[in-house]
Amino acid sequence: MKWEVVIGLEIHTQLATASKIFSGASTTYGAPPNSQACLVDLGYPGILPVLNEQVVRMAIKFGLATNCKISRRSVFARKNYFYPDLPKGYQISQYELPIVSGGHIDIVLDDGEIKTIRITRAHLEEDAGKSLHENFHGASGIDLNRAGTPLLEIVSEPDLRSAMEAGIYMRKIHTLVRYLGISDGNMQEGSFRCDANVSIRLKGDKKLGTRTELKNLNSFRFVEKAIEIEVERQIEILEEGGHIVLETRLYDSDRNETRPMRSKEEANDYRYFPDPDLLPLVIEDALVDELKDSLPELPDAKRVRFVKEYELSDYDAGVLTANLETADYYEEAVRSTTVASPKLVANWVQGELAAALNRDGLDIAEAKVASAELGLLAERIEDGTVSGKLAKEVFERLWHDGGSIDDIIEQRGLKQISDSGTIEKLVDDVLAQNPTQLEQFRGGNEKVIGFFVGQIMKASDGKANPKQVNAILRKKLNE
Ligand code: ADP
Ligand code: MG
């Protein structure tokens, strides 16, 4: 490939406040249209906005977690444009002086390489309302419930070099805002969405190519697919000698294509100016210090700790810490028991548990097997009560019917056979029943050992302790 892909993301994160950024109206999702829009949100003249303190705290937390500078003085600006869902005729945002700027985060690429992505800025702004086009014959409805909902717009430098890197970066920011508790990150409800700026240039070129901006991508997969398809489009145009038009495009996931939406606006189109209704936002050092002290353990630190404390691979630790709920579940499972191998528990969380959650479309908070139970199950595998295979049956039974692990093992006769007398008898029977294979073994064919093990396990209904079966079988064969 002679082309280099260049991507910068603008991520809009809805902040998890009870009320709006400049009014007391509720931010609860899904209320009847216009039931949560007060005079401020409706843009009535003469009404004054009042800044919600919580959004300031949340923005600062994000800045601290991403090595950014927290501006001691920032300014709200009016971004003027006309749209039916924006009754004031301007959006209150931050322009020249954002609250947070100049930081970076690390992402882990698929090959394990760590790459630093710079964050240009993160600024506070209000969301607009929504136009509703369904159910209105020849007209559109306007729902202003979302108007005034607080957003933190997180802008990256153009440091991302592939659709995959963009996806990893976006997931990392998602993980981070949820760890910080500043956003629910719910993508179906639009609480976390992004615009992807995409350009290409010849490898080695210093100057950036002309970009297009892909608007409102609301899933990780769409971000990746939209960028991939847009890169292909741009390469095709440049290779045919054409040029890229600076424009805003929409991604159509049904057709997997991007389409022009409008020519790209410039900052001066918006006539930004400081909002005279809002004083500059001044932040005291004491507040920053307080929030610094209140930060939770962040994903990177947790990952490193999991590797050290639980002797996990970097990969396992990364998967388990990708969301806080999974990390907490895992730690509770390990800590609530005397299980010797935290790796065993990690396998179960990423294996059976993840599969069951996925199958039933549940969040880990809704898991039907509690963390302590999973820990106990791992303990029962370790102490030899059940084999790993039968433990899966116990897990399924727990998931569907509840109950206690030890009762299920008892009632269902799932207990592993570890009594050497019983296993010797099974081995003897199987060897006696298969003289041909025994001859083959004596003739030097080692492969039939696997056959014998299979037969013995079958004869025991899968309950014989496989380690003991192997040992006893080999002993007998060598006699
Ligand atoms: P605007 O606000 O008009 O979209 P910005 O200059 O703030 O413009 O840039 C927004 C995003 O676009 C940033 O994430 C930035 O990294 C990215 N970006 C800027 N130029 C390019 C380019 N040539 N190719 C890819 N991304 C770019
Ligand atoms: Mg933009």
Side-chain angles (χ1 to χ4, degrees):
M1 272 271 284
K2 58 180 186 181
W3 298 103
E4 179 176 53
V5 176
V6 176
I7 303 156
L9 296 188
E10 297 164 89
I11 297 178
H12 298 263
T13 307
Q14 186 179 318
L15 297 173
T17 55
S19 58
K20 293 185 177 175
I21 183 169
F22 299 117
S23 85
S26 167
T27 54
T28 311
Y29 182 83
N34 300 310
S35 61
Q36 291 180 171
C38 69
L39 297 181
V40 176
D41 312 317
L42 295 171
Y44 271 47
I47 294 294
L48 289 175
V50 178
L51 181 61
N52 183 337
E53 185 188 339
Q54 291 308 318
V55 306
V56 176
R57 301 176 74 96
M58 290 175 174
I60 295 173
K61 278 190 187 179
F62 177 81
L64 290 172
T66 51
N67 313 292
C68 283
K69 178 175 148 283
I70 313 298
S71 306
R72 293 303 187 268
R73 184 174 174 280
S74 64
V75 169
F76 287 99
R78 290 187 180 181
K79 181 179 181 180
N80 299 281
Y81 67 95
F82 171 82
Y83 207 74
D85 62 21
L86 187 75
K88 292 197 302 296
Y90 60 86
Q91 175 194 26
I92 305 177
S93 182
Q94 294 191 305
Y95 180 55
E96 279 168 326
L97 292 171
I99 182 165
V100 161
S101 61
H104 56 90
I105 62 164
D106 286 345
I107 58 172
V108 184
L109 306 184
D110 273 4
D111 60 3
E113 186 199 328
I114 292 180
K115 181 167 178 177
T116 300
I117 307 299
R118 290 170 299 158
I119 291 171
T120 316
R121 57 190 274 154
H123 62 255
L124 288 165
E125 62 183 25
E126 57 178 347
D127 209 344
K130 261 185 201 164
S131 297
L132 308 172
H133 304 296
E134 282 162 34
N135 306 328
F136 297 95
H137 298 288
S140 288
I142 300 292
D143 176 7
L144 292 170
N145 281 352
R146 201 179 64 182
T149 298
L151 299 177
L152 185 66
E153 178 173 335
I154 303 157
V155 183
S156 84
E157 289 292 310
D159 288 345
L160 300 157
R161 289 292 173 271
S162 68
M164 202 210 284
E165 285 185 14
I168 294 172
Y169 166 80
M170 191 178 171
R171 284 184 180 86
K172 184 70 181 272
I173 296 283
H174 188 249
T175 296
L176 200 55
V177 297
R178 297 188 60 225
Y179 263 69
L180 292 169
I182 64 174
S183 176
D184 64 19
N186 188 323
M187 297 174 85
Q188 273 95 44
E189 294 176 2
S191 304
F192 194 82
R193 51 193 201 259
C194 107
D195 303 339
N197 295 270
V198 180
S199 68
I200 59 171
R201 64 180 170 189
L202 284 171
K203 276 201 177 131
D205 272 4
K206 287 271 173 298
K207 217 171 138 261
L208 292 178
T210 303
R211 71 182 150 134
T212 57
E213 179 168 347
L214 311 174
K215 274 282 175 199
N216 262 329
L217 301 162
N218 63 358
S219 88
F220 299 121
R221 222 169 51 86
F222 285 173
V223 168
E224 290 163 351
K225 294 191 85 174
I227 292 172
E228 271 165 21
I229 204 75
E230 176 62 13
V231 166
E232 269 177 38
R233 190 189 69 89
Q234 292 189 9
I235 289 177
E236 210 174 291
I237 290 174
L238 292 188
E239 297 207 325
E240 280 170 6
H243 66 277
I244 307 299
V245 179
L246 178 70
E247 65 188 358
T248 301
R249 298 178 70 87
L250 262 189
Y251 174 62
D252 179 336
S253 56
D254 293 329
R255 295 202 194 164
N256 195 32
E257 64 178 27
T258 68
R259 279 200 297 275
M261 188 166 134
R262 56 174 189 248
S263 66
K264 176 106 184 74
E265 67 292 334
E266 308 245 354
N268 59 17
D269 293 330
Y270 288 121
R271 306 270 171 227
Y272 278 103
F273 65 88
D275 192 316
D277 288 345
L278 288 156
L279 288 168
L281 172 59
V282 174
I283 295 169
E284 312 267 334
D285 289 345
L287 177 61
V288 178
D289 292 340
E290 178 205 322
L291 293 170
K292 210 180 258 166
D293 291 339
S294 79
L295 285 187
E297 182 182 33
L298 296 176
D300 287 349
K302 206 185 272 290
R303 197 180 74 232
V304 170
R305 181 169 64 79
F306 273 26
V307 169
K308 259 189 32 205
E309 196 170 332
Y310 303 122
E311 296 176 336
L312 300 175
S313 68
D314 211 43
Y315 175 82
D316 282 344
V319 173
L320 291 172
T321 57
N323 75 65
L324 188 55
E325 291 78 15
T326 306
D328 285 347
Y329 183 104
Y330 172 72
E331 283 215 286
E332 280 161 26
V334 172
R335 287 183 174 171
S336 64
T337 62
T338 56
V339 68
S341 161
K343 167 70 180 156
L344 178 64
V345 181
N347 290 347
W348 273 78
V349 170
Q350 294 172 76
E352 295 302 302
L353 179 76
L357 291 172
N358 202 10
R359 178 192 65 209
D360 295 357
L362 298 176
D363 276 344
I364 193 150
E366 305 163 297
K368 302 244 177 73
V369 172
S371 53
E373 292 179 302
L374 196 81
L376 182 62
L377 189 56
E379 216 175 299
R380 290 289 172 267
I381 297 171
E382 272 189 350
D383 68 18
T385 311
V386 282
S387 65
K389 190 152 169 254
L390 295 183
K392 291 184 180 171
E393 221 177 303
V394 178
F395 179 88
E396 279 304 307
R397 178 71 190 278
L398 261 184
W399 188 272
H400 291 292
D401 307 327
S404 107
I405 290 181
D406 290 331
D407 287 352
I408 295 174
I409 295 173
E410 206 55 53
Q411 285 160 16
R412 288 210 143 190
L414 291 175
K415 222 186 190 115
Q416 178 158 272
I417 301 171
S418 308
D419 165 53
S420 51
T422 313
I423 295 178
E424 278 193 31
K425 168 109 189 21
L426 286 166
V427 174
D428 288 339
D429 290 351
V430 166
L431 292 180
Q433 284 155 15
N434 299 286
T436 327
Q437 281 81 358
L438 194 56
E439 267 318 300
Q440 289 172 351
F441 176 77
R442 303 232 191 277
N445 181 356
E446 293 263 332
K447 281 196 200 134
V448 289
I449 293 184
F451 165 79
F452 288 131
V453 172
Q455 292 300 306
I456 297 161
M457 292 307 292
K458 204 166 138 198
S460 75
D461 263 338
K463 283 185 282 192
N465 179 323
K467 262 203 200 121
Q468 279 177 288
V469 167
N470 257 297
I472 294 174
L473 174 67
R474 280 170 196 275
K475 198 184 86 202
K476 298 228 171 231
L477 285 172
N478 293 326
E479 263 168 13

